[in-house]
Amino acid sequence: MKETVRCVTLDELLASHSVKRIDYFQVDAEAYDARILEQLDLARWNPAAISLETINLTPPEIRAVLERLRAHGYRLLSDTRDLLALIHF
């Protein structure tokens, strides 16, 4: 059975729900976590906590995620399966 699904960008999704603020951003998208996180404008939204699954990411994707989050001031906690990034504590 086939089903057509309309895809939207993260910005489109947030706008369609009139999101004004993000305190906690959780991603669990079976190997697409880094791609989704790339769409989040960290300077604009500045969530206090970000959580994502890293077990299915490639080493280059993990490095890019870590570098980007550190560049925006996040402290990182990881158990090699999941990552928690905190900025305000």
Side-chain angles (χ1 to χ4, degrees):
M1 181 169 127
K2 279 188 168 183
E3 186 171 335
T4 301
V5 177
R6 182 178 174 271
C7 295
V8 297
T9 66
L10 182 58
D11 282 339
E12 290 170 333
L13 179 66
L14 296 173
S16 71
H17 292 281
S18 302
V19 174
K20 302 291 184 224
R21 180 175 146 179
I22 299 174
D23 294 316
Y24 178 73
F25 188 75
Q26 166 74 43
V27 183
D28 186 351
E30 304 309 318
Y32 288 92
D33 305 65
R35 290 183 188 179
I36 293 169
L37 182 62
E38 284 174 3
Q39 294 183 46
L40 182 65
D41 182 346
L42 293 173
R44 175 182 179 197
W45 295 106
N46 196 31
I50 298 171
S51 177
L52 65 142
E53 191 176 60
T54 56
I55 189 73
N56 296 315
L57 300 181
T58 66
E61 287 175 318
I62 293 171
R63 278 192 299 277
V65 165
L66 298 178
E67 288 173 12
R68 181 166 181 247
L69 291 172
R70 285 187 182 123
H72 281 85
Y74 285 89
R75 292 187 182 221
L76 310 174
L77 302 166
S78 176
D79 65 1
T80 70
R81 295 187 55 81
D82 298 290
L83 174 72
L84 177 63
L86 302 171
I87 198 164
H88 305 291
F89 55 91

